[in-house]
Amino acid sequence: AVKELIAFLMLHPDYADDDILICDPEGEFGALVKTLGREKATVAHLVAGGKDRLNAMYMVEGYGENNPIVEKSQFVMSLCEQLMKPEPVGAKERSIIGRCVGNVYREYIKDYRNPPTLKDFREELLRQPEPQAQSIALALELFVDGTLDVFAYQTNVDMSNRIMLFDIFDLGSQLKTVGMLVMLDAILNRVIENHKRGRRTWIYIDEIYLFFANEYSSNFLEESWKRFRKKNAAATGITQNVTDCLRSPTAKNMLANSEFLLMLSQAPTDQQELVKMLRISEEQLSYISNAESGHGLIKVGGAKVPFINQFPRNTALYRLMTTKPGESL
């Protein structure tokens, strides 16, 4: 369903000047983007030891609504929380992280040239006198100077193309959530730049439930989501089981405030949650209970509309979009 929306944006002339950014944790969108995007698309295949790099510390001018360093600090704290697991990020650690973020960006924000990297951030941590700073630096070592350093260098992929796909399928469990955070921050930077140029941005985030695993990443997603709306960007979150998201109060609030929801066949546990939250009637529920492929329910504002969308199967476009084994290109 989401691939069909993306294909529409790629092919329709009315959207030729819009940008499309895709967060792809399961490596499912590559064939579609490469085939339809061609020279206008960049596929960043992010994997430990790979050639593609993404600078986690990159920050465009205008990044923060008020203080860019404060807002970037929130992202870096989310990053550190993931990299330091299972060690907690307490008040002392947050103070140290905030101080070091301010130090590494002090010169950069004067002209926004030569952005710092995670290597610069770790070196700044090592210069601090507190033992907590040394502990944070030690936790970051593997991800900065070790084998998992894919986000510790300057970005080397073309970020200027109209279509940008971040593929982290081969990143591994240690870096998957970190990769999601870095991708979201890269998307936020791009949205800010596009807004300055008057370009509209469409964002698609698959496996969005990964952001709701902890407080820092869920808060960063929520704040980014709000900023997307202000910056002429439309963000779409994708998940197989909505219950995974609804365990988070942040996710529940975001879902309740979404103007557009597309629901395909739902598991019984997911149905119960959706009925309570969206006030779905028994008749409406029947459209997402054991539904056939392409059948479902759309919520637009206060209206709920059943739909049937059966795409012709004997087409190359269907084979680019389907996720069924044996049918895809």
Side-chain angles (χ1 to χ4, degrees):
V2 174
K3 286 179 180 178
E4 186 174 355
L5 292 172
I6 293 172
F8 175 84
L9 292 171
M10 287 183 182
L11 298 173
H12 200 291
D14 288 354
Y15 299 92
D17 293 328
D18 294 1
D19 287 350
I20 305 166
L21 311 177
I22 306 166
C23 176
D24 185 13
E26 296 299 320
E28 295 180 308
F29 294 83
L32 179 73
V33 168
K34 290 174 183 176
T35 303
L36 299 185
R38 296 179 183 175
E39 71 279 357
K40 295 181 180 179
T42 295
V43 176
H45 185 226
L46 302 167
V47 58
K51 64 179 180 63
D52 290 348
R53 308 281 188 174
L54 208 58
N55 181 7
M57 300 291 285
Y58 178 69
M59 179 174 71
V60 296
E61 188 174 359
Y63 181 90
E65 294 291 319
N66 298 305
N67 187 329
I69 293 178
V70 170
E71 298 202 24
K72 192 68 177 184
S73 292
Q74 294 175 348
F75 163 72
V76 177
M77 285 180 195
S78 301
L79 209 60
C80 289
E81 200 275 344
Q82 286 297 323
L83 298 177
M84 292 174 65
K85 279 185 174 181
E87 296 297 320
V89 178
K92 292 180 180 178
E93 287 80 6
R94 288 196 294 271
S95 295
I96 292 166
I97 291 168
R99 181 203 311 159
C100 292
V101 169
N103 290 345
V104 297
Y105 282 109
R106 185 172 292 116
E107 291 300 316
Y108 174 66
I109 61 173
K110 292 178 181 179
D111 57 14
Y112 285 89
R113 296 178 182 176
N114 301 316
T117 65
L118 281 177
K119 289 181 179 291
D120 299 314
F121 175 64
R122 184 171 182 272
E123 288 172 4
E124 186 63 28
L125 284 167
L126 291 170
R127 284 193 280 268
Q128 307 308 306
E130 296 90 349
Q132 290 88 350
Q134 309 307 307
S135 296
I136 299 170
L138 181 60
L140 298 184
E141 183 177 13
L142 178 63
F143 306 95
V144 174
D145 296 317
T147 55
L148 304 180
D149 60 356
V150 63
F151 302 118
Y153 295 88
Q154 298 293 351
T155 299
N156 66 355
V157 295
D158 186 358
M159 298 289 288
S160 64
N161 269 328
R162 179 196 170 212
I163 304 162
M164 187 77 218
L165 173 68
F166 301 95
D167 180 353
I168 60 169
F169 178 66
D170 295 316
L171 204 52
S173 57
Q174 279 185 287
L175 276 175
K176 182 87 56 155
T177 306
V178 172
M180 294 282 283
L181 281 168
V182 175
M183 282 189 293
L184 182 62
D185 192 63
I187 288 170
L188 179 58
N189 278 299
R190 176 67 173 270
V191 166
I192 292 167
E193 288 184 321
N194 282 357
H195 185 251
K196 292 177 188 174
R197 296 185 293 154
R199 290 181 71 89
R200 184 166 49 190
T201 313
W202 301 85
I203 303 160
Y204 295 91
I205 303 174
D206 202 2
E207 308 295 348
I208 198 169
Y209 74 90
L210 291 170
F211 282 102
F212 301 115
N214 64 77
E215 180 184 359
Y216 289 115
S217 59
S218 62
N219 288 344
F220 182 64
L221 175 66
E222 185 180 32
E223 289 304 312
S224 299
W225 210 266
K226 292 175 182 176
R227 295 189 67 189
F228 292 154
R229 291 179 178 178
K230 295 177 184 177
K231 302 292 185 183
N232 200 25
T236 298
I238 310 150
T239 186
Q240 188 76 17
N241 296 106
V242 74
T243 306
D244 292 335
C245 293
L246 295 181
R247 295 188 184 100
S248 162
T250 303
K252 188 174 289 189
N253 182 57
M254 290 174 64
L255 195 59
N257 290 320
S258 294
E259 283 297 301
F260 179 90
L261 295 173
L262 190 153
M263 294 165 276
L264 298 163
S265 186
Q266 301 291 311
T269 52
D270 295 331
Q271 291 175 21
Q272 295 169 16
E273 294 289 342
L274 290 168
V275 165
K276 287 188 293 184
M277 187 175 65
L278 304 176
R279 299 179 183 177
I280 296 174
S281 69
E282 285 296 322
E283 182 182 357
Q284 292 166 340
L285 184 62
S286 66
Y287 294 105
I288 55 174
S289 300
N290 299 314
E292 297 179 35
S293 296
H295 293 230
L297 189 67
I298 292 174
K299 174 187 173 292
V300 185
K304 301 175 188 73
V305 184
F307 71 90
I308 298 175
N309 180 24
Q310 293 177 321
F311 201 91
R313 297 191 176 195
N314 59 341
T315 61
L317 194 53
Y318 174 83
R319 291 193 295 276
L320 284 171
M321 296 187 300
T322 183
T323 56
K324 291 182 179 180
E327 289 188 347
S328 58
L329 286 176

